């Protein structure tokens, strides 16, 4: 089964991200707006409880931190993806590092750029038009993150929460 680890921002940020995603992101219906902490990995169902134990320890050893978004950015020219840029604050970067040191399956394909995708798989012209208009809008948010989620992928390609881990809690 395929699993992933993400954190979900507040409803306010999700609503704003979704206002763009429903038009510009073909994955809109598959997963709510999120920050990917660990890319998708394969794990057998009999192995997942071991992963849950490791994630519980990581959560317990990590304090809540601020999630700060201050602008939109793009991965262009690599891909025509537009995203809300999440500042790489110490707490977020430490959590990411712990999740990759804790021998949970799968290495990293990409370097970690914390973000919330709002548009992807756009043509070059669409990307230029959409990014040009969206970057003029102020996107500044700050909130406290106190949990992350282990997700699994359903047969239809959508993702759902397997378990939630609260930071700093036993």
């Amino acid at each position: 089964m395929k699993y992933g680890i993400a954190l979900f921002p507040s409803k306010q940020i999700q609503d704003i991200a979704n206002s763009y995603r429903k038009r510009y992101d073909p994955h809109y219906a598959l997963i709510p707006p999120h920050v990917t902490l660990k890319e998708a990995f394969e794990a057998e169902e009999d192995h997942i409880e071991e992963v849950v134990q490791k994630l519980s320890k990581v959560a317990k050893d990590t304090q809540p931190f601020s999630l700060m978004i201050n602008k939109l950015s793009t991965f262009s020219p690599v891909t025509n993806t537009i995203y809300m840029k999440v500042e790489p604050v110490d707490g977020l970067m430490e959590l990411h590092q712990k999740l990759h040191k804790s021998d949970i399956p799968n290495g990293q394909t990409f370097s970690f750029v914390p973000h919330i995708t709002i548009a992807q798989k756009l043509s070059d012209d669409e990307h230029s038009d959409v990014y040009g208009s969206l970057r003029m809008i102020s996107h500044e948010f700050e909130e406290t993150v106190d949990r992350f989620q282990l997700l699994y992928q359903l047969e239809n390609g959508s993702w759902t929460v397997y378990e939630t881990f609260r930071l700093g809690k036993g």
Side-chain angles (χ1 to χ4, degrees), residues 22-38:
K22 63 183 155 197
R23 285 179 283 178
Y24 305 122
D25 184 357
H27 296 159
Y28 167 74
L30 301 178
I31 189 168
H34 63 282
V35 176
T36 301
L37 295 173
K38 188 166 181 68

Side-chain angles (χ1 to χ4, degrees), residues 19-104:
S19 72
Y20 303 121
R21 290 182 70 223
K22 63 183 155 197
R23 285 179 283 178
Y24 305 122
D25 184 357
H27 296 159
Y28 167 74
L30 301 178
I31 189 168
H34 63 282
V35 176
T36 301
L37 295 173
K38 188 166 181 68
E39 295 172 37
F41 59 93
E42 294 286 337
E44 299 300 323
E45 287 187 48
D46 58 350
H47 178 71
I48 202 63
E49 281 311 310
E50 187 180 321
V51 171
V52 166
Q53 304 253 326
K54 291 174 183 173
L55 294 177
S56 293
K57 180 171 179 8
V58 167
K60 182 179 167 197
D61 295 342
T62 305
Q63 293 306 307
F65 56 87
S66 288
L67 179 77
M68 292 185 287
I69 297 168
N70 62 16
K71 68 178 188 173
L72 295 184
S73 194
T74 178
F75 288 126
S76 177
V78 178
T79 69
N80 285 344
T81 299
I82 301 169
Y83 59 88
M84 298 170 92
K85 184 179 186 319
V86 175
E87 288 301 309
V89 297
D90 290 345
L92 175 60
M93 300 312 283
E94 287 168 19
L95 175 58
H96 177 261
Q97 287 175 336
K98 288 176 187 176
L99 292 171
H100 285 80
K101 285 183 182 172
S102 59
D103 76 339
I104 296 164

